[in-house]
Structures are given as C-alpha cells and as structure tokens.
Amino acid sequence: MLTIRNATLADGREVDVRIDTSAGRITGVGSTLTESGDSIDAAGKLLLPGMIDAHVHFRQPGFDHKETWETGSRSAAAGGVTTVVDQPNTDPPTVDGEAFDRKADVAEASYVDYGINGGVTPDWNPDELFDRSLLALGEVFLADSTGEMGIEEDLFREAVERATDEYRVVTVHAEDADLFAEEATERPGDDYDAWSAYRTAEAEAEAVERAVEIGDEADAKVHVAHTSTPEGVDAAKSGGATCEVTPHHLFLSREDYDELGTFGRMNPPLRSEDRREAVFERVADGTVDIVATDHAPHTREEKDASIWDAPSGVPGVETALPLLLEAARKDELSYERVRDLTAANPADVFGLTRKGKVEQGLMADLVLVDPDASREIRGEDLHSKCGWTPFEGMRGVFPELTMVRGNVVYDGRDGEPEDGEFGEAVGENVRG
C-alpha cells in the first residue's frame, strides 16, 4: 500500500490518496486516511489524474528512426501522460489483423498504457480489426489528398456505420483537399507561411461539417481530431461531435513561422493569431472537449527542407501537460479545466471508465506536480527520439512524479523515466 498525503486536487481540496500498488487502484480518497504502508508527503503539490493523450504517432513499426514505442512512451511518462492512443499510419498501416498484431507486439515496450486505433483504406479488413483489442477507428483521413490513407466519402460512411455497430468511436482528420488554395503552391519554398495559405481554414470547416453530418445519420460517435480553427470547433460541436485541439494550435500561430521555419509545418497548419486566440477561448470556456498532442516526430534532417518538401508533424507528448499547467499557473486556465481536457474528458469520449479521475476504485494513474515549478522548455532535455520541440524557450510546469496503475514510471527528481515496461493495452477495457 502507498498513501499520498496532503495533496491538493484540481478542485482545491486537500486530501490523502491511498493506493493498492499490487492492484494498481486507488482504494481511498479522504482528509484523514489511516496510516498504511509507505507514504509520500505532497504538501503544497498538485495531484492530477494522468493525461490520456488520445492522438499520438509513435511511428513504430516502419519509421523507427523517428520514434519508437520505448522512446515515445518514455517521453510521455516524463510529461505526465499515462495513456496514449496510437494512430494507424505506420508501415504497414494498421488496417488488418496482421498489421494490428505487429504493432501490438512492439507496443509491449511501452512505459505507459496504450490504445491502438485501426485505419481505414480501400483494402482495410474491418472483421480482423474489430476481432482485436481495437480502441477506435482513426485517425481516418476524410477527403485529404496529402497521404496514402486519405479516403472518399462513401468509404468513410461505410467505416462510420461499421464502427457504430461495434460501439467504437471514429476519429476523423477532416480537411477537404478540393478547397486547398492551389495558387499558394507557386510561392517559394522558403515562404513558410505558404503552407498555411495552401491548407485553408475553409477546407477544415467544410470537411468537419460533412464528417459530423455522416456521423449523425449513422448515430455514430464521431470525434474530430486536431481542430485548428474556431469554425472547425463550432462545426464539430453544433453537429454533436466531440473534438480535440493540439498544443501547437493552442500556443503557436502563423506569426511563429519566422522562428520555426519548416519545423512549424503540420496538418492542419498553423492559423492566424486571431484564430489561435479564438480557439484558446473555446478551450478555456469548456467548448472544446480534449487537448491531444498529435505527437508526430520527424528527424531534424527530414524537417530541414523547403516548406513543400518537409514532412508534416511536430513532437508534443512530453510538453502538452506542462504547457497547460503553465497556462493555469498564469490564470489563463483553471486547474479543473486542465484536468478535464487531459484526463476526465478523454476517458469519457473513449470509454476508458477506469481512468481519468482521482477517485476510489479507479486506476492509480497519477501525476504529482509543484504548480510553481515553472521552467524553460528545451529540446535537449526531452526524451523523444527526435530531440527537438516547436516550443523551444517557452515555459512549462513538469511533473515531479508520474504513476501508471500505482507504478512510478517517472521520477522528476532524477529527470529520468524508471526502467521497466509498465504499459498495458486498454482496448479491451472500453465501454461497449
């Protein structure tokens, strides 16, 4: 048994939390729990449920030079993330049973718990996928022509209907390539803002509207990935879908291209400062459901190219919660809002009923932080294999301790994740 004493929860309550470390569960939350086993004095510290990052690309199998399950999950643990959901665009893509099993094998190296999403392509095999411990479908690329996994509306409708039958969420990447501004492609490769001009805000909003309309017709649970515009957020919510926002769309804008260059290329792209502020408002006021990172690392060498040749994507799994906690430290968000965005709401959206809260009977996935311990973010201090961050020089509040099911997977006092493969698959634990 382990007791965390005098901890402050996101709602301001000061409590003791008792953990059965053998079962990995919280067995008591109260003001005066009886002494039992080891204890940690958390006076003056904030105790949060571990972040559930519902959108990561850990790249393995197929792109191990960018990231692996070991390096990506170590980075997650150091950032207070205790569960990740990996997307299917690896090599081979996770679109059939064989590919799923191959990813499940390498995912066993994870430091944190994990879900595996199945992908949708013209040759996908839904029977094999749904026969596995699949967490959800997605990231499904609706009307996006920039990758091999983009699909048309008829196949998207088929996937949504099948996911509905299986009680699974469909996570959709919604950008309508027909609305991309082709004239922007004539701009030179060192005009970094051309990427944002090309992948227009209208392309996102239109595709979100189509996705949620199809989902509504099928009575499906549609979740819109990485909404980057207020129009996209509003289209998702008005259509009854849930949505997520990434830290890069929350804290960066087109004004940062001069400093980021091609390291700021991602899909959807960075938006105007006005749109960024409007998205932040929707995150703060409760409109947006989730913050998820879309952690998509590439090597420095790969990103050091023209804006038209560099791969899209940035790392973020280790810095998301620290950035949000820094915003809360500056009173831009409440700690309760951070808790809901990163843990309670993702657990609810994806049916992870034993995660997401500091409550008796739930998994002891916990993060202990000193809310005043703000420090500069530096890529060389992070644990992702890529070794860089788009948030270089910004500030974050990093965990002192990260626990997955009662196991300490990261101790910030020495700055390194603990040795061990602590993660377990969560696909069989979903609601259904």
Side-chain angles (χ1 to χ4, degrees), residues 73-121:
S73 65
R74 284 167 64 93
S75 189
V81 176
T82 55
T83 304
V84 296
V85 181
D86 193 69
Q87 305 303 323
N89 56 335
T90 41
D91 185 16
T94 316
V95 296
D96 57 32
E98 182 178 356
F100 184 97
D101 293 345
R102 181 173 174 185
K103 179 174 286 189
D105 285 343
V106 295
E108 290 180 357
S110 181
Y111 280 73
V112 301
D113 284 355
Y114 54 89
I116 297 175
N117 277 1
V120 182
T121 62

Side-chain angles (χ1 to χ4, degrees), residues 117-120 124 129-130 134-140 159 163 169-171:
N117 277 1
V120 182
W124 75 309
L129 284 175
F130 286 114
L134 187 73
L135 182 62
L137 283 184
E139 175 184 4
V140 180
V169 180
V170 179
T171 297

Side-chain angles (χ1 to χ4, degrees), residues 253-267:
S253 73
R254 293 170 77 164
E255 294 183 6
D256 293 296
Y257 273 127
D258 286 344
E259 183 172 349
L260 291 171
T262 54
F263 287 79
R265 173 177 152 163
M266 75 281 291
N267 302 331

